[in-house]
Amino acid sequence: MAKLGFEREERIQFTQADAGLSTLAIRAGQTRTSEGEHSDAIFPTSSFVYSSAREAAARFSGDEEGNIYSRFTNPTVNAFEKRMAALEGAERAVATSSGMAAILSIGLSLLQQGDHVVCSQSVFGSTISLFEKYLVRAGITTSFVDPKDLNAWEAAIQPNTRLLFLETPSNPLGELTDVRAVADIAHKNDAMLAVDNCFLTPVFQQPLKLGADLVIHSATKYLDGQGRCVGGVVVGSDALMEEVFGFIRTGGACMSPFNAWVFHKGLETLKIRLEAHAKNALELATWLQQQPGIEKVYYTGLESHAQHTLAIKQQTGFGGVLSFEVAGGQEAAWRFIDSTKMVSITGNLGDVKSTITHPSTTTHGRMTDEAKADAGIKKNLIRLSVGLEDIKDIQADMQLGLDAL
Ligand SMILES: *Cc1c(COP(=O)(O)O)cnc(C)c1O
């Protein structure tokens, strides 16, 4: 890309060593063409041209760096990757077509037939299916453990265990796993630890600093923040990312330039959004806890949360998702949800719009009753992804639900 006249921006590296998180989210991975545009350009092109046959040959042979085809590299996707790597404090990031593609890429590029995975049982539903139903076909087996129980992680390790996988806080109950302790278990056994950092984002938790080897995101959630695109990303060391990149460029689960542009711009407001989400969530959780008709509130920012101390130890904030149990069963929970007027009834989260969900019959609906009971997903449980509307309006909407109990 032509950079004539814009050298001044190359004087700063934009890593965590020389800039704060808000600066990185706004400045790292910035691109600029010779047009001098202030906002990043978007490159919606499938392929790239060369000035000569010789140049084409040099690009294809790898003698010369440069773009060839957007399944391999694309400037807009690269810009998003650079920004994500800076935010997570990683050497490199690889963008993927979805959060699930990010997890799939780890499984198929860093593991092989005969390998074993230990996975938290409290991870995103599709993550469980991916390991249990699909990666097993490639000869990769998985054991699921209670993520809070360090002895269970240790006990599940086999001689062929290569990957430990967890999500903290978990959805929808906000269960935490001690990342540092599980990283130590992984490394003692020659395995890697991957953390799904979707709920807190690098603003509130940076798992690589806690010893994890890989971090994955569903960019669909807070990284976009406005519910527009599906995408994902994996971050880690150059060596691990080279393998992941090799799989993505060959397997084709790449991110589209348009989505990368949306995520790249979304990151510019990540810190200020997350702080505002967390402020609204804490205020609402505190209020809900005092309301008649509410039996229990799950939010890691509450002192009543069983793992509040661990939250303070490994997080710098508590995020925007909470859940609560209402008096009564499924009927009461549905009545509560149906009586609200503003919050959106949808399974998605991490949006500026508040969203309300009944996990037992939607996001966790495919689990058996026994599995739900084990995981603590009760029929009277409601999940709220607290958005950025005025807190008094979100609270008024919850009051409508409470009045209907
Ligand atoms: C949504 C989600 C995923 C999957 O991401 P997609 O972008 O939908 O593929 C993975 N992990 C968590 C925690 C999620 O919330």
Side-chain angles (χ1 to χ4, degrees), residues 289-368:
Q289 219 175 203
Q290 294 154 3
Q291 302 311 306
I294 300 290
E295 293 189 337
K296 192 164 169 75
V297 179
Y298 299 89
Y299 182 62
T300 63
L302 293 175
E303 275 173 32
S304 61
H305 188 280
Q307 294 169 293
H308 183 62
T309 314
L310 177 57
I312 289 171
K313 191 175 117 197
Q314 67 183 14
Q315 305 173 191
T316 53
F318 306 112
V321 179
L322 59 86
S323 59
F324 52 94
E325 288 159 5
V326 297
Q330 180 173 315
E331 288 298 309
W334 280 18
R335 236 177 13 251
F336 185 107
I337 292 171
D338 290 345
S339 303
T340 59
K341 290 206 171 113
M342 178 182 75
V343 298
S344 316
I345 305 176
T346 171
N348 202 19
L349 61 91
D351 198 293
V352 291
K353 293 177 177 136
S354 295
T355 65
I356 195 164
T357 311
H358 185 242
S360 169
T361 52
T362 60
T363 52
H364 294 66
R366 279 172 302 174
M367 290 167 75
T368 62

